[in-house]
Amino acid sequence: DKPKFYFTDEERKIPMSIAENIAAIRARMDAAAIAAGRDPQEIKLCAATKMNGGDAVREAIRGGVDLCGENRVQELTAKLKEDAYRGAPVHFIGVLQTNKVKQVVGKVDVIQSVDRLNLLEAIQKEAAKQGIIQDIFLEINIGNEQSKSGFSTSEVLPLLEHIGEYPNIFVRGLMAIPPISKKIGDNRKFFQEMLQLSVDIRAKKYDNVAVECLSMGMSDDFEDAIACGSTMIRVGTAIFGARDYTKLHQK
């Protein structure tokens, strides 16, 4: 039988537990990797835990995700306080304001969403103050969308030429959120551009840089991302179900 990459609309309506969802995602990840001639063990599953409480995060970790990704500083702080991430690394994957850097640096394993120079500088300053080296990913605005932050592909190599000026930062990878796709396969060109950018970076020798990870692909497009070289997918809805945004206004 051919590997099945996508659930039907009817299958999506069947309620499943978080652990069952993770098992289903793992099967899809494995099928996508094998179809691309890749080792499934190369690809990590990051649970995007935004708007999910500590109990759901713990269930996801028990269900076998490789790490958790948090979007909001307030949620990160609260879940760290209740030890919700025990047993898994935690990455920060959301927009980070410079005035909240001190609440994130040293608290997470990786800050994936480093999308501008003044944020890089703020992380360097706080990491130096704490006497640590903070691992980061550079966020790339791969679709050159005005509505999104991130470095353009043309900015990355010149930036890395000077990354040695930030001795308390280590660039471990690249992250991208491509434009919303209208149909399956639309984002492959953006994922392929990210892969080529990572190849270009690895071909050079930069201080404080080892692009070990390509964080790209989410619930709706991670098979395509895996086919194009992703080593980490960030999945929220397919693990936890649709987020209830009305809760944001119920305070």
Side-chain angles (χ1 to χ4, degrees):
D1 293 341
K2 292 183 179 179
K4 180 181 177 183
F5 287 177
Y6 303 98
F7 293 135
T8 66
D9 289 341
E10 287 303 314
E11 286 172 325
R12 290 179 187 276
K13 294 176 183 177
I14 301 172
M16 297 172 69
S17 71
I18 288 174
E20 289 172 325
N21 287 340
I22 291 168
I25 292 164
R26 286 287 190 192
R28 293 168 62 192
M29 290 171 65
D30 290 354
I34 291 167
R38 299 182 61 197
D39 180 355
Q41 298 299 315
E42 296 175 354
I43 305 147
K44 294 188 180 297
L45 174 58
C46 172
T49 54
K50 181 174 74 172
M51 296 181 65
N52 288 282
D55 288 343
V57 173
R58 292 185 189 95
E59 186 176 345
I61 293 170
R62 288 195 298 269
V65 298
D66 295 301
L67 69 152
C68 297
E70 200 60 72
N71 285 73
R72 295 176 175 153
V73 174
Q74 185 176 0
E75 287 193 53
L76 172 72
T77 300
K79 290 170 193 172
L80 284 171
K81 190 174 181 180
E82 60 176 294
D83 203 20
Y85 307 113
R86 178 185 288 274
V90 59
H91 290 197
F92 193 81
I93 61 175
V95 176
L96 180 57
Q97 299 172 2
T98 54
N99 64 349
K100 294 184 178 180
V101 160
K102 64 182 178 181
Q103 296 172 261
V104 177
V105 170
K107 306 294 194 301
V108 299
D109 296 88
V110 177
I111 302 173
Q112 291 199 24
S113 48
V114 180
D115 57 1
R116 59 200 188 278
L117 189 58
N118 70 331
L119 177 58
L120 189 72
E121 292 169 344
I123 293 170
Q124 161 60 33
K125 183 177 180 180
E126 180 60 29
K129 185 183 297 183
Q130 294 184 25
I132 64 170
I133 294 176
Q134 177 66 61
D135 287 346
I136 68 166
F137 295 172
L138 296 180
E139 182 174 351
I140 311 303
N141 186 351
I142 196 62
N144 293 317
E145 297 175 273
Q146 291 186 350
S147 61
K148 289 181 181 175
S149 57
F151 296 100
S152 68
T153 54
S154 63
E155 291 177 315
V156 176
L157 296 186
L159 171 63
L160 293 178
E161 293 286 352
H162 299 280
I163 204 71
E165 298 171 11
Y166 305 90
N168 294 85
I169 284 174
F170 202 102
V171 180
R172 293 286 180 189
L174 305 176
M175 186 265 266
I177 305 172
I180 296 173
S181 59
K182 295 181 179 179
K183 64 179 185 297
I184 293 169
D186 278 355
N187 282 338
R188 283 202 174 209
K189 62 181 180 181
F190 298 113
F191 295 142
Q192 288 165 349
E193 285 184 47
M194 286 291 294
L195 178 61
Q196 185 58 54
L197 180 59
S198 72
V199 170
D200 292 343
I201 292 171
R202 292 189 191 107
K204 298 179 179 292
K205 300 293 183 182
Y206 298 112
D207 294 334
N208 309 340
V209 176
V211 176
E212 302 160 346
C213 182
L214 268 180
S215 174
M216 57 186 194
M218 297 189 287
S219 291
D220 292 333
D221 60 9
F222 69 76
E223 284 97 345
D224 287 330
I226 289 171
C228 298
S230 174
T231 62
M232 180 184 293
I233 64 170
R234 307 180 308 276
V235 179
T237 301
I239 292 176
F240 300 105
R243 297 182 178 100
D244 183 2
Y245 285 93
T246 62
K247 292 180 180 178
L248 293 176
H249 309 288
Q250 295 176 354
K251 292 186 176 180

